Amino acid sequence: TGGGHEKGLRAGTENVPAIVGFGVACELAKSHIAETGVRLRQLRDHLEQGLRAMGAVIFGDGAERLPNTTYFAFPGIDGETLVMAMDRAGFGVASGSACASDSVDPSPVLLAMGVERDLARGAVRVSLGRDNTLAEVTAFLQALQGEMARMNRFAALMA
């Protein structure tokens, strides 16, 4: 609860320095958004080229989408298993969308797009940031290739 000057919602005075700082941060981000988008799209395209070479299915491939995000799956590979393997390798990725990160069910969006349930269950999301580099994307692809080889060897032993 707050004071009457805030309609009872919060007490205290607005944090004017933080408000001004946020405005300046927004102006800076806006001034670099176009060039950042181009650079991130190039990194994403490099990432997706490597993923395709390993046999991944890229969801939304060919569609207009965010330049920094890739959503993919490997047939027969569980997304959560791949997320944990990549975490151990030092890379933060997620299974599913950010807005449904607490759910283990396949993405309803992927299912509505006609993606098979087993493939949708393997979905993994990679989001690139403005500070990511080509070297980091290449390192990610190398680590992923190693993890995929390990998983395939394990699957062959279990067969």
Side-chain angles (χ1 to χ4, degrees):
T1 61
H5 68 291
E6 294 292 339
K7 297 184 173 76
L9 296 179
R10 84 182 262 295
T13 303
E14 287 85 2
N15 183 349
V16 175
I19 294 168
V20 171
F22 182 72
V24 170
C26 289
E27 288 173 3
L28 287 170
K30 182 180 177 187
S31 71
H32 297 289
I33 198 164
E35 67 190 52
T36 300
V38 168
R39 194 178 69 71
L40 288 174
R41 184 173 286 112
Q42 291 169 342
L43 289 177
R44 183 197 70 196
D45 291 349
H46 178 74
L47 172 63
E48 290 180 354
Q49 182 181 12
L51 290 170
R52 274 188 220 91
M54 286 186 254
V57 174
I58 310 293
F59 303 117
D61 200 12
E64 188 66 28
R65 55 201 165 104
L66 291 173
N68 72 317
T69 305
T70 296
Y71 201 25
F72 68 95
F74 290 99
I77 301 292
D78 177 68
E80 281 298 319
T81 301
L82 190 55
V83 166
M84 289 186 291
M86 294 310 293
D87 182 61
R88 285 191 303 272
F91 295 94
V93 298
S95 63
S97 66
C99 57
S101 60
D102 62 341
S103 174
V104 296
D105 293 330
S107 163
V109 173
L110 291 179
L111 296 176
M113 289 169 53
V115 175
E116 293 180 20
R117 191 170 198 79
D118 285 340
L119 186 60
R121 192 172 283 114
V124 173
R125 180 179 37 85
V126 174
S127 296
L128 301 166
R130 67 184 172 104
D131 295 327
N132 285 122
T133 65
L134 182 60
E136 290 171 328
V137 172
T138 300
F140 173 81
L141 288 168
Q142 290 170 343
L144 180 60
Q145 191 167 28
E147 290 300 328
M148 293 298 297
R150 187 184 64 73
M151 288 180 192
N152 288 332
R153 283 193 304 273
F154 181 76
L157 286 173
M158 300 306 290

